[in-house]
Amino acid sequence: MSDRPIIRIEDLHKSYQIHEIIKGISLEVDEKEVVVIIGPSGTGKSTLLRCINLLTHPDKGHIWLEEEEITAPHVNIDKIRQRIGMVFQDFNLFNHLTALDNVMIGMTKVLKMHPKEAREKALWELERVGLSDRADHYPAQLSGGQKQRVAIARALGMNPHVMLFDEPTSALDPELIGEVLSVMQKLAQEGMTMLVVSHEMGFAREVSDRIVFMENGVIVEQGPPRQLFYNPKFERTREFLWKITELYGKEDEAGG
Amino acid sequence: MNFLEDLAFLFSYLLQGLGVTIGVTIIALSFGFLLGIGLALMRVYGGRLAAGIAMLYSTVIRALPVVLVIFILYFGISRVIDLSPFLSGAFALGFASTAYQSEIFRGAIQSVPPGQMTAARAIGMSRWKAIRYVILPQAIRLAIPPWSNEAAIVLKDSSLVYVIGVPEILRRAEYVSARTLEPFLAFGAAALIYFFLTFLTNRGLDYMERRYKLQM
């Protein structure tokens, strides 16, 4: 693991009307690091992810992507987003396009790749998530797990420097969670920098380098999985981790 | 001359207006399609001012009888710009259809799930690219059923341009009726032609709807 931060967040704040969702968060994610953010719902985990690629604009604070401050005025948001892959809870595949075209469209329309070249790369990305035999299927013809894997391939097609996962398995039937997690695990092994909001404790324990526990808009505690599970500084952290593990534990074992 | 020959003459005379009817309809529909999508985009994605203008246009035009729009354009504007009755009529219907089509497309754009825009922006598309490559292709598919209704209405409303003397099917039926004093036959024949035109248009659009159906 190198020490070069890919993402650096400094004192981030975000409110919706009178509710402050994020109350001063600072966080760094290094190159090739896999960080899992956990915490009760409504604590601003998703908002934090959406701030990182500016789908949501923070009210206060700074975010750097590699050397560039993306919260500075007049940055080209579209260029920034090309370097950040994002995977959503509800997949958001483009309904009118086949799996292949979903992966290709960013390459041809954003990266301006030649269609033939883009097609080859898109097929390779589908292969990477184990779906080259579904290239011609429309989203409606795919299972939830397959949709999410296509969504991952679509994000990978843009050659992102970091991948953000916003509860990627929360909308899936239990038996489909494993196939998505194993794709994510493979990505982590290949050295992708990943920031994952998830309740999959099995994944957090086995794959992540660091777990960040968030509650009420602040980071309560963070550290290597082992430390957070067995030796947390706060009782609240232990309580939450074990409650979640109990709830999701069976699926973890079934999913691998 | 026997009855059959009369009938053949009647139809061949009326059908000479077919080109005009179809021409007016296609111009009005295409015109309304392009401007209607434009106004719909202003309504959904435009700022307060753009959305306001689009809404004002739609509200005013939909409050007016189409014949009145035809009169205003033909007698008002064609004094300044030299427009043939055919083109004035087609554009007037186009302006009217723009208002209705803008409502159709606004509804369709709004029924594309918001996550589609988010996902498009997340892979680095600009707002315009997202609209062009992700939102509109889906919205247009969703709009086909209400749009075929509008197409049938415009096809039938194209008969209204007869008020400014455009020799389309209805105008020609009127000529025949005046000359032969057999209005039932003349207008009945016109009705039959309109029926087949509308029927075929709807069948064609039904096919398009099935062919491009969006599964979500």
Side-chain angles (χ1 to χ4, degrees):
Chain A
M1 201 192 307
S2 85
D3 287 315
R4 198 175 135 228
I6 295 268
I7 296 170
R8 188 151 63 88
I9 302 170
E10 220 178 77
D11 194 30
L12 201 74
H13 290 261
K14 176 70 191 175
S15 305
Y16 289 110
Q17 280 109 39
I18 52 161
H19 299 288
E20 194 171 27
I21 302 294
I22 294 182
K23 304 170 184 168
I25 282 187
S26 299
L27 180 70
E28 277 186 19
V29 179
D30 289 337
E31 197 176 354
K32 300 191 177 188
E33 202 181 9
V34 177
V35 175
V36 173
I37 303 177
I38 57 165
S41 51
T43 38
K45 302 174 307 251
S46 294
T47 307
L48 176 64
L49 276 201
R50 293 172 65 98
C51 281
I52 292 171
N53 66 357
L54 298 178
L55 285 175
T56 296
H57 280 265
D59 300 330
K60 217 181 110 194
H62 305 273
I63 301 170
W64 284 266
L65 177 67
E66 291 162 322
E67 301 306 315
E68 194 177 353
E69 188 189 342
I70 65 175
T71 41
H74 312 300
V75 289
N76 184 338
I77 301 174
D78 299 328
K79 280 261 180 266
I80 300 280
R81 290 194 185 123
Q82 291 169 30
R83 301 195 314 225
I84 307 174
M86 183 147 192
V87 175
F88 302 90
Q89 179 175 345
D90 39 10
F91 329 125
N92 292 341
L93 287 183
F94 304 133
N95 296 312
H96 63 304
L97 298 177
T98 61
L100 183 70
D101 287 333
N102 261 281
V103 183
M104 266 179 74
I105 192 165
M107 300 177 190
T108 53
K109 305 302 179 198
V110 179
L111 300 178
K112 305 278 180 206
M113 279 169 69
H114 190 275
K116 217 173 131 187
E117 202 187 333
R119 196 187 149 81
E120 256 170 51
K121 182 164 162 56
L123 279 170
W124 184 75
E125 297 296 355
L126 283 175
E127 175 92 54
R128 241 173 128 181
V129 298
L131 285 174
S132 40
D133 58 331
R134 293 285 186 274
D136 295 330
H137 287 53
Y138 283 89
Q141 301 164 318
L142 299 172
S143 74
Q146 291 170 337
K147 280 185 209 172
Q148 194 59 297
R149 284 147 69 198
V150 173
I152 292 172
R154 176 176 67 181
L156 290 175
M158 307 297 289
N159 295 325
H161 299 198
V162 55
M163 288 278 285
L164 310 177
F165 293 84
D166 188 6
E167 305 210 25
T169 56
S170 298
L172 295 177
D173 290 338
E175 74 266 27
L176 302 178
I177 290 174
E179 60 188 77
V180 172
L181 289 182
S182 64
V183 166
M184 288 169 62
Q185 182 163 13
K186 203 176 101 194
L187 269 183
Q189 282 159 358
E190 287 168 13
M192 177 61 75
T193 309
M194 292 162 65
L195 186 53
V196 185
V197 170
S198 178
H199 286 150
E200 295 300 328
M201 284 302 122
F203 179 84
R205 244 186 322 203
E206 285 156 37
V207 182
S208 81
D209 300 302
R210 179 156 45 111
I211 294 178
V212 173
F213 174 47
M214 257 179 86
E215 190 164 37
N216 297 325
V218 294
I219 293 175
V220 176
E221 186 170 358
Q222 53 179 314
R226 191 152 256 294
Q227 181 194 318
L228 253 71
F229 270 96
Y230 298 104
N231 207 4
K233 279 187 228 131
F234 297 98
E235 185 50 34
R236 175 71 185 128
T237 310
R238 184 204 302 275
E239 190 193 350
F240 182 82
L241 274 176
W242 288 103
K243 199 157 79 189
I244 287 288
T245 307
E246 220 171 87
L247 277 173
Y248 290 79
K250 289 207 175 91
E251 287 157 17
D252 284 347
E253 279 158 35
Chain B
M1 268 209 279
N2 63 35
F3 180 68
L4 275 180
E5 271 177 37
D6 279 356
L7 213 57
F9 174 78
L10 172 62
F11 272 101
S12 77
Y13 182 75
L14 291 185
L15 284 172
Q16 285 168 41
L18 187 65
V20 176
T21 292
I22 291 176
V24 166
T25 305
I26 288 178
I27 291 172
L29 277 176
S30 327
F31 191 88
F33 179 81
L34 294 174
L35 284 185
I37 286 183
L39 287 187
L41 291 175
M42 282 163 72
R43 286 280 284 277
V44 181
Y45 298 109
R48 208 176 261 255
L49 182 69
I53 291 170
M55 201 157 108
L56 184 71
Y57 180 90
S58 168
T59 310
V60 170
I61 294 289
R62 285 185 304 141
L64 303 177
V66 178
V67 179
L68 195 54
V69 181
I70 294 174
F71 277 145
I72 291 173
L73 200 78
Y74 182 60
F75 293 113
I77 297 176
S78 66
R79 281 194 180 162
V80 191
I81 313 161
D82 188 26
L83 271 184
S84 67
F86 173 81
L87 280 182
S88 319
F91 285 149
L93 283 172
F95 279 123
S97 184
T98 295
Y100 293 94
Q101 292 195 46
S102 79
E103 296 294 332
I104 290 171
F105 288 116
R106 180 179 62 93
I109 289 169
Q110 283 171 337
S111 49
V112 174
Q116 298 285 307
M117 174 60 97
T118 313
R121 298 306 304 273
I123 55 170
M125 283 193 187
S126 64
R127 209 152 118 106
W128 171 242
K129 272 187 188 168
I131 290 171
R132 163 86 181 70
Y133 297 113
V134 175
I135 305 298
L136 279 184
Q138 298 187 51
I140 290 173
R141 282 169 169 88
L142 292 170
I144 294 176
W147 198 85
S148 32
N149 204 29
E150 172 66 10
I153 290 171
V154 171
L155 176 63
K156 288 179 287 178
D157 278 359
S158 73
S159 63
L160 294 174
V161 300
Y162 95 101
V163 298
I164 51 173
V166 180
E168 43 68 68
I169 294 168
L170 181 60
R171 187 75 181 184
R172 284 172 173 269
E174 205 184 33
Y175 290 153
V176 175
S177 160
R179 201 155 20 144
T180 62
L181 300 178
E182 291 205 64
F184 183 77
L185 199 61
F187 291 125
L192 207 61
I193 295 173
Y194 275 112
F195 172 78
F196 275 110
L197 276 180
T198 312
F199 181 75
L200 289 176
T201 306
N202 281 344
R203 286 303 293 269
L205 287 165
D206 279 353
Y207 171 77
M208 296 264 285
E209 186 189 340
R210 278 195 307 276
R211 170 84 175 67
Y212 293 105
K213 191 171 179 63
L214 199 59
Q215 290 169 313
M216 288 203 222

